[in-house]
Amino acid sequence: MSATPQILTPDGAGGSFLQPELETMSQAEIRELQLQRLVEACERVYPKVPFYRRKFDELGVKPSDIQSLEDIVKLPFTVKPDLRDNYPFDMFALPMDQIERVQSTSGTTGAPTTVAYTHQDVQYWGECTGRGLAMAGVKPGEILQNSYGYGLFTGGPGLDYGAVRLGCVVIPMSGGNTDRQIRMMQDLKPVALSCTPSYALHLAEVFRDRGVAPSDISLRVGIHGAEPWSNEMRAQVEAGLGETALDIYGLTEMGGPGVSVECLAKGGMHVNEDHYLAEIIDPETLQPLPDGQLGELVFTTLRRQAQPLIRYRTRDLCSLTRETCACGRTFARMSKPIGRSDDMLIIRGVNVFPSQVEEVLVTIPGIEPHYQIVVDRVGYLDVMEVWVEVGESIFAETMGDLERFQKMVQAKLYGVLNIKAVVKLKEPKTITRSEGKAVRVVDKRKGMLPGS
Ligand code: DLL
């Protein structure tokens, strides 16, 4: 086992390990375990899930053909429409009497997709998110305010199981009801907060408005994920809440949050590689890409029993690194997803990622971290507006100053995006705040043909 150095936060609280023997395995041990579990996953789905039997047969591959991790390329991909086509139960690998629960996506962009768990799957889930809490320095007996939504969304239950596994005290706040959130923080003094980064920013803003200083609450660390966010946004959350803000990644299809979790070194999210096998592929050619290269993230579940998935295409674009991490963990790290291979906006032929817009906006003093990209089509032309909320001081300026400010933001966006975005300055607190994931893009062109 490798050495396990502790990383300290400014207040001296170090991250620790939930399962050091697993989290610090050598790369060779990880690969050996992954190969064994990959074969087991294939053996679970091939006889039990008609979709996979058909796919495997079409490609002429059997579980016994997987002799090395490189053989994974012989296996079929799974994509979201496959889950929709087999909704609600046909992807299950076990009968109903062995299923303990289901969770689901919101289904806002189409039919919902469900994910099923056995009792054991739920324990594995808690292991993955519990590791995230431990590496963030949360200790047994300390309090977590869990402000991810409970219900069908995986965020609330996912962090809850992790806290239980670690031995923490959970406040199951769920999202929304900001007044009560704040009351709980002041009364119960949680050291950790879990919620989306956009909701963390909203909480910080409400605190500031009420004159509550970060030192008046007791937060030490925040576990924020479920949506893309930049390091600049991290800095604002940290300053606003007085916490160390860490990232957590996951998706419903893989069981929810905890697929990867960030340690205090803040150098990317450690993939729980004993549970998930990560690949990066070129989304066009579908060929594997080496570590360090940006591409689409693909996951195979290695342990899930109720609904194992083989080579699931996440559509998230990021890269992997296996370089040593200062925290001593050996699991590969994924970079923050910079966007999705499918939510990339194409505006007048130019590819635009919402994260690029955010990166520009957060560098401009006077702009609040709340914005919305509105894309429409006028005649044959795509038009892009970026609505940005400005701070009180900017808004108090004269019309001429405001116009200059607006032009400056527009020019900066042009410099990065290479297309014109019409910037609309909005009064403080007028862009709708989210209690869950922020709605950053309103694409009114959906379903419209060019020129219609
Ligand atoms: O968002 C699960 C989750 C809950 C993750 C709580 C973290 C914390 P879905 O609703 O299925 O599941 O959305 C999954 O959200 O494919 C990414 O595009 C995006 N996403 C999730 N985490 C991150 C992150 C949950 N840390 C989709 N950074 C994924 C960027 C993220 N994007």
Side-chain angles (χ1 to χ4, degrees):
M1 195 192 299
S2 27
T4 53
Q6 294 260 308
I7 299 204
L8 299 182
T9 43
D11 67 357
S16 61
F17 290 76
L18 183 70
Q19 296 163 305
E21 67 293 353
L22 296 171
E23 295 171 69
T24 61
M25 279 184 289
S26 70
Q27 302 266 332
E29 285 169 324
I30 295 171
R31 288 179 65 82
E32 198 186 315
L33 190 66
Q34 286 190 319
L35 175 60
Q36 178 204 322
R37 289 184 177 167
L38 175 62
V39 174
E40 284 166 10
C42 292
E43 283 166 348
R44 273 201 295 276
V45 295
Y46 185 68
K48 301 273 179 56
V49 184
F51 164 79
Y52 278 121
R53 173 173 287 266
R54 208 172 48 247
K55 284 271 186 180
F56 277 48
D57 287 349
E58 273 167 22
L59 294 172
V61 61
K62 295 257 178 325
S64 57
D65 293 331
I66 305 302
Q67 305 279 337
S68 74
L69 281 184
E70 284 67 36
D71 286 337
I72 196 166
V73 296
K74 297 178 180 167
L75 295 172
F77 287 107
T78 311
V79 290
K80 201 167 185 94
D82 296 331
L83 303 184
R84 294 200 175 127
D85 293 347
N86 290 283
Y87 174 83
F89 303 131
D90 289 352
M91 294 300 275
F92 290 13
L94 289 172
M96 279 301 181
D97 61 358
Q98 293 186 52
I99 309 287
E100 184 170 289
R101 68 189 291 131
V102 290
Q103 303 282 154
S104 171
T105 59
S106 55
T108 44
T109 54
T113 46
T114 44
V115 62
Y117 309 74
T118 61
H119 181 72
Q120 185 60 58
D121 288 335
V122 171
Q123 311 312 306
Y124 291 149
W125 193 12
E127 243 172 53
C128 291
T129 49
R131 285 176 192 174
L133 288 167
M135 72 175 75
V138 185
K139 311 238 167 8
E142 289 190 319
I143 304 178
L144 168 75
Q145 180 149 331
N146 186 14
S147 305
Y148 282 117
Y150 279 70
L152 283 175
F153 180 55
T154 54
L159 269 293
D160 196 308
Y161 286 124
V164 169
R165 175 68 175 78
L166 184 60
C168 300
V169 181
V170 193
I171 311 175
M173 281 305 302
S174 203
N177 204 340
T178 302
D179 283 332
R180 264 178 99 191
Q181 302 265 358
I182 288 176
R183 179 81 203 261
M184 282 291 167
M185 269 189 216
Q186 289 176 318
D187 292 354
L188 273 64
K189 309 239 175 325
V191 299
L193 168 70
S194 45
C195 62
T196 57
S198 48
Y199 193 56
L201 262 183
H202 176 56
L203 285 170
E205 184 179 69
V206 177
F207 273 127
R208 200 179 55 220
D209 287 353
R210 298 190 184 172
V212 181
S215 54
D216 296 336
I217 50 172
S218 46
L219 286 183
R220 200 170 67 219
V221 68
I223 315 284
H224 307 303
E227 62 184 358
W229 56 310
S230 55
N231 279 325
E232 288 80 4
M233 191 160 159
R234 184 203 305 263
Q236 298 192 15
V237 171
E238 292 188 330
L241 292 177
E243 58 165 47
T244 296
L246 300 175
D247 206 347
I248 181 166
Y249 169 90
L251 57 159
T252 311
E253 294 83 351
M254 291 292 114
V259 173
S260 66
V261 273
E262 194 176 43
C263 67
L264 291 166
K266 295 181 179 167
M269 293 172 274
H270 288 280
V271 177
N272 277 310
E273 288 194 285
D274 50 340
H275 288 275
Y276 300 98
L277 187 104
E279 298 171 78
I280 297 286
I281 61 160
D282 179 323
E284 299 296 324
T285 65
L286 307 185
Q287 293 309 306
L289 292 174
D291 284 354
Q293 276 204 29
L294 186 72
E296 183 181 326
L297 188 57
V298 172
F299 281 115
T300 299
T301 62
L302 295 176
R303 305 207 83 184
R304 293 181 51 77
Q305 301 174 330
Q307 195 178 324
L309 292 184
I310 307 290
R311 304 192 86 197
Y312 183 72
R313 290 187 58 187
T314 65
R315 302 288 178 175
D316 292 318
L317 299 174
C318 69
S319 61
L320 289 176
T321 175
R322 269 162 241 276
E323 281 166 21
T324 329
C325 180
C327 74
R329 277 176 193 80
T330 44
F331 289 157
R333 280 167 290 147
M334 58 178 266
S335 61
K336 276 180 176 297
I338 62 147
R340 293 175 55 87
S341 63
D342 59 355
D343 84 350
M344 181 178 73
L345 294 161
I346 304 182
I347 300 168
R348 274 172 271 149
V350 179
N351 298 347
V352 175
F353 286 106
S355 59
Q356 291 176 294
V357 174
E358 181 175 322
E359 264 158 33
V360 173
L361 297 182
V362 292
T363 60
I364 306 174
I367 286 190
E368 296 294 311
H370 304 285
Y371 68 94
Q372 218 159 37
I373 301 167
V374 182
V375 191
D376 205 349
R377 186 167 284 140
V378 180
Y380 289 93
L381 261 193
D382 292 333
V383 282
M384 175 185 185
E385 288 183 359
V386 178
W387 297 5
V388 291
E389 218 181 74
V390 291
E392 302 279 357
S393 57
I394 300 283
F395 212 74
E397 288 178 9
T398 63
M399 283 307 277
D401 287 338
L402 275 179
E403 206 171 288
R404 264 193 296 282
F405 187 80
Q406 183 255 358
K407 290 228 157 66
M408 179 270 289
V409 180
Q410 218 158 271
K412 286 205 170 191
L413 281 171
Y414 187 83
V416 172
L417 304 177
N418 273 320
I419 56 156
K420 181 174 171 193
V422 179
V423 169
K424 297 240 161 119
L425 301 182
K426 298 281 169 184
E427 288 186 46
K429 308 218 174 79
T430 50
I431 292 185
T432 315
R433 303 297 192 258
S434 78
E435 288 174 351
K437 299 188 192 217
V439 180
R440 299 294 195 202
V441 180
V442 179
D443 195 344
K444 298 183 176 168
R445 301 169 304 172
K446 291 228 163 99
M448 286 168 87
L449 292 169
S452 62

